[in-house]
Amino acid sequence: MDSRTGRWLLPIGTLLGALILWQLSVELWHIKPYKLPSPLAIGERMWDQRDRLLVQSGSTLRLALKGVGLGIGLGVLSAIVFHLIPVVRAALSPIIIITQNIPLIALGPLLIIWLGFGLAPKLVLLALVCYFPIAWSMLSGLGQADPHLREYLAMIGADRFTVLRRLELPASLPYFFSGLKITATYSITAAIVAEWLGASEGIGYYLVLKSKGYDTTSVFGAIVCIVGMALAFYGIAVLLERLVVRWRPAGREGGAR
């Protein structure tokens, strides 16, 4: 067995073992379903409600994709601006950091007051969550370009935007994808919080309804869907990184995780 296969089999085996232990514990100690349903009961409930779960998950995915797209666009743009104009970075960085420390549960109602009900407050909330990892990871990468190549471009008379386009942006790609993987992980959770603000559809809305009805089995089913979507987003980010950053040596990682 090679090391790559082992890296997959170990977590899969651990997960299966945990599920088996969970199932046996529920059966042996006769735990009530409203307290802790068994994995088999959760799977059966998800199958019975598969059509509804697919519809609600699709709504959440569309919201998350819009928020991620907006957050990535703003993050990349601001990283470039901050890199090119340090005074702007110095002026705005404290404000941006402050916004990242405001609890979502407090920011959400404020956005509804300011922007009303509908899509706008949800997109703003998602964009704020997705923005920071992208902007700061890419900003770090823009400053990590090879200094020798930078000197060479200066020697041949390359202007500032040529250096940015030819050297700094390619050098920042591993850092960008590190931020994208963090964003992909957070985006689904942020979408769920956004749906709690007053949505009429989505897996977050479904989760609220089931929790208010003390339908614990359906709540676990919703959690499985949320985790699955988050893992899918992360997997897409990893795949995009492998397709785009082909020149990076294997095993070398850029940026903070």
Side-chain angles (χ1 to χ4, degrees):
M1 181 188 302
D2 59 27
S3 59
R4 182 174 299 180
T5 304
R7 285 198 301 267
W8 281 100
L9 289 180
L10 183 60
I12 291 174
T14 302
L15 178 60
L16 288 176
L19 290 175
I20 293 172
L21 182 61
W22 179 357
Q23 182 72 35
L24 292 175
S25 299
V26 170
E27 293 179 356
L28 289 175
W29 281 289
H30 305 289
I31 300 175
K32 301 295 183 181
Y34 73 88
K35 289 185 176 180
L36 181 65
S38 69
L40 289 178
I42 295 169
E44 291 174 0
R45 180 64 57 83
M46 291 181 67
W47 178 255
D48 292 339
Q49 299 189 357
R50 59 189 180 279
D51 293 335
R52 186 177 183 187
L53 287 173
L54 284 173
V55 171
Q56 304 293 1
S57 297
S59 177
T60 300
L61 281 174
R62 289 191 294 272
L63 175 61
L65 285 172
K66 292 175 183 177
V68 169
L70 184 58
I72 290 174
L74 292 174
V76 170
L77 180 61
S78 62
I80 293 173
V81 171
F82 291 168
H83 179 66
L84 295 176
I85 313 174
V87 67
V88 176
R89 175 183 180 180
L92 295 182
S93 291
I95 298 175
I96 294 172
I97 293 172
I98 288 172
T99 63
Q100 294 299 311
N101 286 278
I102 300 175
L104 296 183
I105 198 67
L107 184 59
L110 291 175
L111 291 174
I112 290 179
I113 293 172
W114 295 334
L115 302 175
F117 290 95
L119 184 61
K122 300 177 182 63
L123 282 182
V124 171
L125 189 68
L126 268 165
L128 286 174
V129 171
C130 298
Y131 164 84
F132 191 80
I134 294 291
W136 254 246
S137 295
M138 188 169 180
L139 182 60
S140 177
L142 288 170
Q144 297 298 319
D146 190 328
H148 299 293
L149 292 177
R150 193 187 300 275
E151 292 176 4
Y152 171 76
L153 289 173
M155 289 172 56
I156 63 175
D159 59 29
R160 188 68 187 86
F161 288 99
T162 300
V163 174
L164 175 68
R165 181 168 56 90
R166 295 288 189 179
L167 176 62
E168 293 172 340
L169 283 176
S172 71
L173 283 177
Y175 296 82
F176 166 79
F177 280 106
S178 291
L180 181 62
K181 286 183 280 190
I182 296 172
T183 295
T185 304
Y186 288 161
S187 60
I188 296 297
T189 302
I192 299 303
V193 174
E195 289 172 345
W196 288 354
L197 300 180
S200 58
E201 59 181 356
I203 201 70
Y205 171 74
Y206 173 89
L207 183 61
V208 170
L209 286 181
K210 296 303 180 180
S211 62
K212 288 182 177 179
Y214 297 96
D215 187 351
T216 310
T217 306
S218 294
V219 169
F220 271 95
I223 292 172
V224 171
C225 292
I226 293 168
V227 172
M229 288 187 288
L231 290 176
F233 267 42
Y234 182 84
I236 291 171
V238 171
L239 178 61
L240 287 174
E241 181 183 25
R242 292 180 178 176
L243 292 175
V244 174
V245 193
R246 292 172 179 262
W247 49 265
R248 189 180 65 180
R252 181 179 174 184
E253 299 293 338
R257 291 188 178 278

